Amino acid sequence: MKNKYIIGGFIIVLFLGIMGYLFTQSNIKYENNLALVKSTHKTVKATGSWVKEKKYTYDSENNLFQFYMKDDKGEEMLVVYRGAMPNNFESATSVVVTGSYQDNYFYAKDILTKCPSKYQEQPAAQSSSL
Amino acid sequence: MIGSIILTFALVFSIISMIMYFLNFKGYRNTISYARIFYHLCSIFVIVASTFLWYYLLTHQYQYKYVFSYSNNSLSTGLLLSSFWGGQEGSFMLWILLTVVVGIILQSYTSKRGDLEPRVMTIFTLAISFLLLMVSPWFKNPFEYIWVNPIFVDLKSINSIYLDLPFLQQFLFPDPQTNTTYVQVSSTLFASLVQNGIDPNTFIVNGRGLNPQLLNFWMQIHPPILFIGFAMATVPFAFAVSALMKNEYKDWVSQSFPWLLVGTGILGLGIMLGGYWAYEMLGWGGYWAWDPVENSSLIPWLIGVAAIHTMLVQKKSQSQSEGIGRYAKTNLILSILVYILVLYSTFLTRSGVLGDASVHSFVDPGMLAYLFLIIFISSFTLLGLGLIVYRWKYLKSEVPQDEGLFSRELSLFTASVVLCASAIIVFVGTSAPIVGRSVDISFYNEMHVPLAIIVGLLNGLSLLLKWKTTSTQELLSKSVIYLAISVVVTVIIILFGGVNDIMMILLAFSSIFTIIVNGEIAIKIVKNNFDKLGAYVAHIGLAIFILGVIGSSAYSNEKTLNLVKGKPTEAFGYQMVFTGYEPIENATKYAFNINMNKDGKTFNASPVMYIAEYNNSLMREPSIVVLPTKDIYIAPLSYEQTGDHDHSGSVSIEKGKSVKYENITLTFEKFEMGSDVMQAMQEGRDFQLGAVLSAISDNKNISFILYRKQSGDKVEFTSFESKELNLRVELLNLSAQGVELSLSKLDEPKETVKKEAEEVLVVNASIKPFVSLVWIGVLVVVIGFFIAFSKRLKESQLSN
């Protein structure tokens, strides 16, 4: 029975070790306080809502989509996303952006929009990449 | 109502059947016939209940909340049938329906194999009882009436003959944001309707419909196949627990094996179809996004495949008279885990815990259902793993000898360990949102490259090893030729394919090694022993799949292109020209045609974009040109017309607010609406909306009305000019938020810097080399599973 435990144990320990390491390195926290998001360069999933008064822009030449989001305390930040406006964006009430805060804007790798309208349960849409 | 009653009866029958089966196991001989009768009654009632749900969907009975929420009048029959599983309640129904059908076959199968039936069916009916509880009126009942809980229904869905009812006014809620009016449907409204002598069933005449992303062929086949896989995962669990109940571990392996093979094969096919759907329709850009919903069905599949490998060893070592066989404990644990992980998958995707993390959105099921799901999982975990702990002492006494280091037994076990490691990684990553964390896609990708390399090497190596033990010398002399050929082929790939990443080279090498070793054996045995081909076919399929993954993801090339109509743009060596768009599918969608030209050959791509009425959003569908060695994947991003509209210099005014222009104060006083505007909007007749404005300067005060006129799909806006004020006001837009105006002076000619109108289509184009190998690979794997199934089915009969 020894061989079984040595080989099996070795693989499990090795990969769980690498996994544990990668997990602590690359795990991303959900953060709904934008002041905290702005204070770090770490990759986070910032949650908040789109500031409708400040319109979004899409620069098709550079394929950059920009908009402002704010948290429930009113803290705002500019979000820049390389890609097109996600489906559902205009009707979204809450937005989850994954990325990190650079000098004066949030560079999003991924945008997830949620539309829990008062009247309709709506599906979420994501602009996803692989 | 009748649906709920039928389901309640089915639940009662299922419980009676379970008790009768259990009593039979405990030695009461005459209960078995009752158990069978009640099981079949339960199945019939579930089938009848499902038929009712289908009937309600087909006949648009919107008084049922489920029918209202997931279907509407415009769905085709095929889509109406598949709206059955469009929501949570219905997908539970589908799961139950398929489980009872699997149960009918299982009952007949087990009744022919010794004393298996009472034990297996006790567990199986227990699982069915839990599922039936899930759709009972306390939790997720698909037959709930729409009146039970308050819900907002678009005024358009209400039967127009009731719109004039005076008491209806108090249930109306206008939503200025979307310009729609909603009716709050509730038990109070129901009571008012009945009071006024109105049949409540005729009140709602249209439903919300399905999410536009689900409106296609794949919705009709992907969920049922996936759920067959889920339903069949119950069987290995039932077999393992029944072995533990009897404390006899020899026969269950052969008996459970064909079920595990076919169940895993079907689940794998279901997962792949989901990936293909994402690739072909949803425009994710890839076939696998490590999305929680995809992952959660992958985890039980990986464990199922791991179990297949160790069960094979147990079977083999039984035949070599090694008692109950090797890895008996491992097999029990893995078989039990397959079902527990299916339940966990359901929990992850239905409980709302992944609310912020998934593309697939599932509405929060409510606290009760959430708790019930937890009880469901805990009960089955306790039952399965608890029994293993209970029998552990006995199981430990059945220890066979140590296997040789170079034995096929150990290499199969190692393969199983690697698959479990993969499952653990996906499990941890997918579960992370529960603790407020999340992992990047790279976490999965980086972890799986080395795992896949090991899998490929083991895949070839295990076949070069003999059962029990192989001498080092024999192994070396056997493998040297295969390794040499693999090295040569890999070098060719490196030189001609431009593969240069060390991990990718290793991965390609290990896949080719797999193909060569398995291929050679497959060719040797195909002539006289087709039966035994399953494993080799599946392994070759896996290797083909991995080569496809290397090509399509590691060597994919991607570009964002601005295609100006009529102007050729160069990308990836193709001349691409956007030639214009055309309405398709009754003008509900628009196809944007692109001509691609390379070396005199022309290809056409037509990505699709449209605004879905369902969620008022822009939806996009990619277009794929499939070539022998690669796919050209065109995902539309946006379409813009520039130059013909100059909105700069426009002002927006909310109702009651004012703006200053020169020395004029312009105020938006109020909306001007005819009495029948609401009615006209609903019926789709022409109508006009007005905005009353006033312009005040010094002592002049002029009031005027601007109109937004709609006839059919055409919208026109009026404008106003005043010589006195030297003012021109053009209405650009009118919505509930207010008006948008363009202001200019009469004596200054309006700046008409009309740029030349340009139509620009923005697309994301990518080249995905050998992506077709991904699909071919998975299909070959599935075929392998089925060949193996037919062989093991015969063996399971022989053993009795």
Side-chain angles (χ1 to χ4, degrees):
Chain A
M1 288 301 267
K2 262 191 225 137
N3 284 333
K4 174 172 107 175
Y5 291 119
I6 293 170
I7 297 220
F10 175 74
I11 292 176
I12 289 288
V13 168
L14 176 74
F15 278 95
L16 293 196
I18 302 173
M19 181 185 81
Y21 174 75
L22 270 182
F23 188 78
T24 51
Q25 291 298 301
S26 71
N27 86 81
I28 306 164
K29 222 181 142 185
Y30 285 92
E31 185 57 71
N32 58 12
N33 184 342
L34 293 189
L36 275 179
V37 171
K38 284 176 166 180
S39 65
T40 165
H41 290 308
K42 262 207 208 148
T43 302
V44 292
K45 279 185 182 288
T47 57
S49 56
W50 167 43
V51 187
K52 290 207 163 98
E53 296 75 41
K54 299 191 177 174
K55 298 212 159 154
Y56 61 81
T57 59
Y58 175 64
D59 168 8
S60 58
E61 212 123 290
N62 302 308
N63 190 25
L64 284 180
F65 175 65
Q66 304 192 9
F67 66 96
Y68 284 87
M69 72 184 270
K70 65 173 179 203
D71 62 10
D72 44 13
K73 295 192 194 83
E75 181 80 27
E76 286 185 14
M77 72 176 182
L78 173 65
V79 179
V80 177
Y81 170 66
R82 186 168 291 278
M85 180 174 79
N87 292 348
N88 266 355
F89 186 83
E90 281 171 303
S91 50
T93 49
S94 99
V95 186
V96 184
V97 290
T98 310
S100 57
Y101 196 77
Q102 307 294 345
D103 304 323
N104 41 21
Y105 62 88
F106 187 88
Y107 185 76
K109 284 188 286 188
D110 191 64
I111 303 178
L112 186 84
T113 55
K114 291 263 159 186
C115 317
S117 150
K118 200 161 62 167
Y119 299 101
Q120 270 170 293
E121 308 131 348
Q122 281 185 332
Q126 186 183 30
S127 68
S128 182
S129 47
L130 180 91
Chain B
M1 198 59 201
I2 181 137
S4 303
I5 293 170
I6 295 171
L7 281 180
T8 310
F9 270 108
L11 173 60
V12 172
F13 294 152
S14 163
I15 293 171
I16 296 175
S17 171
M18 175 181 75
I19 295 167
M20 293 293 161
Y21 270 125
F22 188 71
L23 288 176
N24 182 252
F25 163 65
K26 282 289 175 192
Y28 296 86
R29 238 185 262 167
N30 49 3
T31 57
I32 184 102
S33 48
Y34 293 109
R36 285 173 182 164
I37 291 169
F38 277 105
Y39 180 73
H40 285 104
L41 274 177
C42 163
S43 322
I44 292 165
F45 273 58
V46 167
I47 292 167
V48 171
S50 309
T51 314
F52 265 101
L53 185 54
W54 263 310
Y55 172 75
Y56 292 151
L57 285 162
L58 286 172
T59 52
H60 305 303
Q61 313 240 1
Y62 297 116
Q63 67 270 31
Y64 294 100
K65 189 176 179 183
Y66 192 81
V67 178
F68 169 77
S69 305
Y70 299 102
S71 73
N72 64 20
N73 296 339
S74 62
L75 292 180
S76 65
T77 309
L79 286 168
L80 274 177
L81 290 173
S82 54
S83 57
F84 186 96
W85 46 84
Q88 275 201 28
E89 294 83 354
S91 56
F92 274 115
M93 259 324 276
L94 178 68
W95 187 3
I96 296 168
L97 175 65
L98 293 167
T99 308
V100 298
V101 172
V102 166
I104 294 170
I105 304 165
L106 183 68
Q107 188 273 327
S108 142
Y109 177 92
T110 50
S111 67
K112 291 177 198 131
R113 284 166 179 80
D115 61 345
L116 202 55
E117 184 185 352
R119 285 174 287 140
V120 169
M121 291 305 288
T122 302
I123 305 305
F124 201 79
T125 45
L126 178 68
I128 291 178
S129 304
F130 265 92
L131 286 173
L132 280 169
L133 260 176
M134 197 70 220
V135 290
S136 69
W138 301 296
F139 307 113
K140 307 255 90 188
N141 185 332
F143 296 106
E144 187 179 287
Y145 281 116
I146 197 163
W147 321 101
V148 177
N149 289 307
I151 177 175
F152 289 104
V153 175
D154 193 329
L155 199 58
K156 285 184 199 134
S157 303
I158 305 297
N159 196 335
S160 58
I161 57 171
Y162 299 136
L163 288 179
D164 304 328
L165 293 174
F167 67 85
L168 195 60
Q169 300 312 314
Q170 70 195 78
F171 297 100
L172 293 184
F173 290 82
D175 180 12
Q177 219 175 42
T178 52
N179 265 331
T180 25
T181 304
Y182 293 92
V183 179
Q184 192 184 36
V185 171
S186 62
S187 47
T188 347
L189 177 61
F190 180 80
S192 308
L193 287 171
V194 173
Q195 233 171 35
N196 285 272
I198 293 163
D199 179 3
N201 292 353
T202 61
F203 184 68
I204 301 168
V205 290
N206 203 352
R208 223 174 246 168
L210 274 180
N211 184 330
Q213 295 189 321
L214 304 180
L215 296 179
N216 52 60
F217 171 72
W218 303 104
M219 175 63 183
Q220 298 168 44
I221 61 162
H222 162 66
I225 292 179
L226 199 68
F227 275 105
I228 295 175
F230 273 25
M232 294 198 73
T234 329
V235 182
F237 179 90
F239 273 107
V241 172
S242 70
L244 288 160
M245 283 163 79
K246 198 184 174 192
N247 206 19
E248 200 280 308
Y249 306 98
K250 199 155 181 278
D251 294 337
W252 83 278
V253 182
S254 312
Q255 289 158 343
S256 175
F257 206 33
W259 287 90
L260 182 62
L261 280 167
V262 76
T264 318
I266 292 173
L267 184 60
L269 182 67
I271 294 171
M272 183 209 92
L273 287 174
Y276 191 75
W277 181 1
Y279 180 74
E280 194 238 40
M281 286 296 302
L282 304 183
W284 289 7
Y287 40 84
W288 197 257
W290 296 106
D291 178 83
V293 172
E294 295 177 316
N295 288 352
S296 66
S297 47
L298 180 67
I299 301 167
W301 186 82
L302 287 167
I303 297 293
V305 178
I308 287 171
H309 289 83
T310 42
M311 278 175 96
L312 183 69
V313 179
Q314 192 177 353
K315 255 176 73 74
K316 184 76 187 177
S317 54
Q318 278 176 2
S319 69
Q320 290 165 335
S321 55
E322 291 189 39
I324 60 169
R326 287 176 190 280
Y327 310 134
K329 292 185 294 266
T330 313
N331 289 332
L332 290 167
I333 295 171
L334 292 179
S335 294
I336 285 167
L337 277 182
V338 171
Y339 189 56
I340 292 176
L341 287 166
V342 163
L343 296 179
Y344 182 72
S345 159
T346 312
F347 170 72
L348 277 185
T349 52
R350 308 302 167 84
S351 64
V353 288
L354 298 178
D356 283 343
S358 173
V359 187
H360 298 67
S361 89
F362 288 98
V363 188
D364 196 329
M367 207 55 207
L368 263 182
Y370 181 85
L371 283 176
F372 178 75
L373 275 171
I374 290 181
I375 293 170
F376 194 174
I377 299 175
S378 325
S379 313
F380 277 76
T381 313
L382 267 176
L383 173 68
L385 300 183
L387 269 172
I388 290 183
V389 173
Y390 178 67
R391 301 289 193 195
W392 193 255
K393 243 188 176 161
Y394 175 81
L395 280 165
K396 249 192 130 173
S397 66
E398 295 269 328
V399 177
Q401 280 182 310
D402 194 9
E403 55 280 272
L405 187 57
F406 293 116
S407 65
R408 193 176 285 185
E409 285 92 333
L410 190 62
S411 72
L412 285 170
F413 179 79
T414 312
S416 171
V417 169
V418 172
L419 286 163
C420 289
S422 159
I424 293 170
I425 289 159
V426 182
F427 180 89
V428 168
T430 311
S431 306
I434 296 177
V435 291
R437 304 275 158 159
S438 146
V439 293
D440 198 62
I441 284 172
S442 64
F443 169 80
Y444 300 107
N445 290 341
E446 280 169 34
M447 293 299 303
H448 276 87
V449 174
L451 284 173
I453 294 172
I454 299 177
V455 162
L457 292 176
L458 278 174
N459 217 327
L461 191 68
S462 63
L463 297 173
L464 301 176
L465 293 168
K466 287 196 291 200
W467 295 101
K468 298 225 167 168
T469 186
T470 318
S471 75
T472 324
Q473 213 176 0
E474 196 187 345
L475 176 65
L476 278 177
S477 65
K478 251 178 153 181
S479 53
V480 84
I481 176 81
Y482 294 111
L483 288 172
I485 299 172
S486 308
V487 168
V488 171
V489 178
T490 311
V491 168
I492 292 172
I493 290 187
I494 295 170
L495 293 180
F496 290 93
V499 179
N500 44 25
D501 180 270
I502 179 71
M503 291 309 261
M504 289 302 133
I505 291 172
L506 286 174
L507 193 52
F509 171 75
S510 75
S511 308
I512 288 157
F513 182 56
T514 301
I515 292 183
I516 290 171
V517 176
N518 283 279
E520 208 233 296
I521 298 174
I523 292 166
K524 262 190 212 158
I525 67 170
V526 71
K527 286 165 202 146
N528 44 18
N529 213 340
F530 181 78
D531 249 11
K532 285 190 172 168
L533 215 54
Y536 310 108
V537 171
H539 288 158
I540 291 170
L542 177 72
I544 294 174
F545 166 78
I546 291 176
L547 289 174
V549 172
I550 297 175
S552 62
S553 45
Y555 295 91
S556 162
N557 226 328
E558 176 182 336
K559 256 185 196 173
T560 302
L561 305 172
N562 291 315
L563 302 174
V564 180
K565 188 175 173 182
K567 286 186 190 161
T569 307
E570 168 100 14
F572 312 118
Y574 291 85
Q575 286 281 340
M576 301 199 183
V577 189
F578 168 44
T579 56
Y581 67 88
E582 57 183 343
I584 53 168
E585 295 178 29
N586 295 326
T588 52
K589 298 181 177 182
Y590 294 91
F592 296 79
N593 297 319
I594 300 168
N595 268 329
M596 286 185 273
N597 210 312
K598 188 184 191 179
D599 308 330
K601 273 185 229 156
T602 310
F603 312 98
N604 287 308
S606 307
V608 170
M609 286 193 278
Y610 60 99
I611 304 283
E613 208 185 319
Y614 176 83
N615 48 8
N616 206 8
S617 292
L618 175 68
M619 310 301 290
R620 310 176 175 102
E621 288 169 13
S623 173
I624 305 165
V625 177
V626 181
L627 301 175
T629 58
K630 65 192 166 210
D631 278 13
I632 306 172
Y633 192 90
I634 309 276
L637 296 180
S638 69
Y639 169 76
E640 287 155 35
Q641 280 173 305
T642 56
D644 61 337
H645 247 305
D646 191 10
H647 271 227
S648 62
S650 71
V651 291
S652 301
I653 319 177
E654 284 175 47
K655 190 179 153 192
K657 298 274 165 65
S658 312
V659 290
K660 273 263 184 201
Y661 178 73
E662 303 290 308
N663 58 344
I664 304 165
T665 308
L666 203 63
T667 311
F668 174 22
E669 306 280 357
K670 59 178 183 189
F671 288 105
E672 154 78 29
M673 243 186 272
S675 53
D676 65 334
V677 166
M678 287 291 237
Q679 188 98 21
M681 272 166 103
Q682 266 148 34
E683 289 164 16
R685 282 192 280 120
D686 300 351
F687 64 93
Q688 59 178 23
L689 290 170
V692 180
L693 295 140
S694 67
I696 305 170
S697 105
D698 304 331
N699 42 18
K700 289 180 206 102
N701 186 343
I702 298 175
S703 190
F704 57 95
I705 305 179
L706 295 177
Y707 285 103
R708 175 190 187 278
K709 295 179 177 171
Q710 179 145 9
S711 59
D713 284 337
K714 259 181 73 180
V715 177
E716 272 179 58
F717 296 102
T718 60
S719 60
F720 166 80
E721 288 177 13
S722 161
K723 285 210 174 104
E724 265 179 284
L725 292 169
N726 185 18
L727 178 71
R728 183 194 290 117
V729 184
E730 288 168 87
L731 183 61
L732 298 176
N733 202 359
L734 188 156
S735 67
Q737 281 101 346
V739 289
E740 203 177 319
L741 306 170
S742 159
L743 306 175
S744 51
K745 288 184 180 177
L746 277 184
D747 53 5
E748 279 174 22
K750 204 185 159 223
E751 277 184 70
T752 45
V753 268
K754 281 233 170 182
K755 285 180 253 166
E756 197 187 332
E758 266 187 347
E759 291 179 48
V760 184
L761 176 69
V762 186
V763 297
N764 194 319
S766 46
I767 297 281
K768 297 184 181 292
F770 296 107
V771 74
S772 47
L773 290 185
V774 171
W775 320 124
I776 295 170
V778 178
L779 285 178
V780 173
V781 171
V782 172
I783 292 168
F785 273 104
F786 277 94
I787 298 173
F789 159 71
S790 72
K791 176 185 182 213
R792 303 299 172 180
L793 184 64
K794 281 178 211 154
E795 283 177 7
S796 83
Q797 278 153 343
L798 288 177
S799 68
N800 273 275

